[in-house]
Amino acid sequence: MKQYNIVFQPSGLRGKVLDNITILDAARQLGVSLESVCGGKGNCGKCKVRIEEGNFAKYKINSSISAVTTREEVNYRFLSKQQMKQNYLLACQTKIHGDVVVFIPEESRKGQQVVRKEATTRKIKLNPVIKKYYVELTAATLHDALGDHERLLAQLEKQYKLTGLVMDYPVLIKLQGIVRQGGWKVTVSVWKGQEIVGVEPGQVKKGYGFAVDIGTTTVAGYLCDLTTGEVLATEAIMNPQVAYGEDVMSRIGYATKEKNGLKKLNDAIIDGLNEIAAGAAKKAGIKRSDIIDMAVVGNTCIHHLFLNLPPQYLGKSPFTPAIHHSVNVKARDLGLKVAAGAYVHVLPNEAGFVGADNVGVLIAEEPYNQDEMLLIIDIGTNGELILGNRKKLLSSSCATGPAFEGAEIRHGMRASAGAIEKLKIDPKTKEVQFKVIGNDKWNTEDKNIGARGICGSGIFDAAAQMFLAGIFDKSGRFDMKVKSPRLRMGEKEPEFVIAWAKETAINQDIAIVQKDIRAIQLAKGAMYSGARIMMNRLGIDKVDRVILAGAFGSFIDKTSAAVIGLFPDCDRKMVYAVGNAAGDGARMALLNIDKRDEADYWAQRVEYVELTLEPNFNSIFTKALSFPH
């Protein structure tokens, strides 16, 4: 019987399935979490999925709605006409007859992605771009019929010495009604001392801003009180653009080659931001329209897709971005549903593959104010590095690929419930102990632990522990002389079993295979090479501190990272994680206008190193493939 390739997004899980199988059954076979309260009878409508259209070169799949058949009468019961137009179907009622890419929306995911981008505690000096001014106006009369606009401007000048103000048009439209609603007493929100972007009835002391870190894989938003700096709510989701490619090059290709590709990618992230803004506002007990300012970071590709800028030149030498400097855009012009007059401040880019997210890390950690030699590593789908101190700063970007996030690992998965996140291997017996997300017990304590796969932190541990236990050598090659039932020859290559089928929820052994180790070698080798080449540029042999930035960096074991050779040797006490520093940088830019100027200044002064142009890159990279390096 015929078999077809199916890829589930945003988890990235994929495999071959038989002709005429339902998408729900395919999801079950591959261990994809998909809601189905009714067990596939078509009675609950919880298993909504979207069939993606287009050529997905990364997977060698040309996906189309024509690759499936469905029972339309059941779909009509649960799906709107708009959803039907967008290729939404019920997974339990849809059968596969060709290669297909299937996107599972957040609502249909049984075990939702754990997005670990909580706000960290940082001392941020408050000086927001938005200032609030309370004024009491003299009511208009037949003897004093001056326009409300002019009356307001005159009072702001008299009371606060504010001159030359302009008023945003949507604010002007509602001005008279708000003035009278407040009994001629209003609070005015002024942006940069130049523009009135909001008017509220009565005295309103609180103002709200939203800082957003748009990662390649995850998106996190931090709702902040602009008067206190407090983070009122954090909301995070998987980046909806994952459906169009797991890495930036895939998305550049999709935006460039597919019909309306850029629009689809832009719509996806705008919809996602509206979703998390609404969620954060609800948690904080405010309206989304109360958000009067935003600050956003993301890598250069994400930056372009968010601003609807064609990204094709980022994918071609010399990889030139449309703009390096920061930009201020009206939120409404981007389709963001916050306050009508709100601006979005997007931090500057450094280079084609070092974007505003890296600048966020830069202004959060301030290596330009340090004497010590700092190496800052932001680990994600792309690895971004900063090296230096107050004398000189270098940056670089390396394509680690999605291996660390599980996408190129046979049983790899994103960080969601059931993912193996921590493990250790007895060097003598080769027995494995592991923990999964959502369960504090080890597998030796909970016989029904139900592992579903292995996520990034677990992949780091697996590689380090397997190397220390002698399961593979410095070259990464499995040593088949090791005596253990866990080490065996699979159908095509050697594999080491991490979890037996009885310990899983997918009824099959979860193993690390030879190809997985090769993928890890390539990713960690790229990261190490970047650091080593920049060190050579600065003429140094060691670094004083290694800072692991990003949510991922907070959850990997630093000993495991050192064992596999992710970064140059450093005193273990001086290796530490700082959480989502890019998101912290976005918060700083939201809460302090001086940080925006600082970002623009330093983004232009960091020297970007294009690693592939270094004459000894291949030699350094080849050596970095060994364990540890």
Side-chain angles (χ1 to χ4, degrees), residues 28-97:
R28 289 167 173 165
Q29 282 186 18
L30 298 174
V32 177
S33 294
L34 179 57
E35 193 71 73
S36 179
V37 176
C38 70
K41 297 176 182 177
N43 296 331
C44 69
K46 298 294 186 182
C47 61
K48 298 182 183 74
V49 297
R50 186 177 70 225
I51 306 301
E52 300 298 341
E53 295 271 1
N55 181 38
F56 293 79
K58 180 180 178 65
Y59 310 125
K60 298 179 181 178
I61 288 178
N62 190 17
S63 179
S64 169
I65 192 71
S66 62
V68 299
T69 57
T70 189
R71 292 178 61 197
E72 293 189 352
E73 69 274 14
V74 181
N75 287 290
Y76 280 129
R77 286 173 54 198
F78 299 102
L79 300 171
S80 67
K81 290 182 179 179
Q82 183 65 24
Q83 286 177 319
M84 296 287 280
K85 287 180 181 178
Q86 295 173 341
N87 288 357
Y88 277 86
L89 299 168
L90 295 183
C92 69
Q93 302 299 308
T94 305
K95 294 184 176 181
I96 300 165
H97 305 291

Side-chain angles (χ1 to χ4, degrees), residues 192-213:
K192 289 184 74 173
Q194 301 170 6
E195 181 181 347
I196 297 173
V197 294
V199 179
E200 300 165 272
Q203 186 171 18
V204 182
K205 294 182 178 180
K206 294 290 187 181
Y208 305 96
F210 200 46
V212 183
D213 170 23

Side-chain angles (χ1 to χ4, degrees), residues 41 65 270 295 376 471 604:
K41 297 176 182 177
I65 192 71
I270 295 301
I376 306 172
I471 294 161
Q604 296 176 47

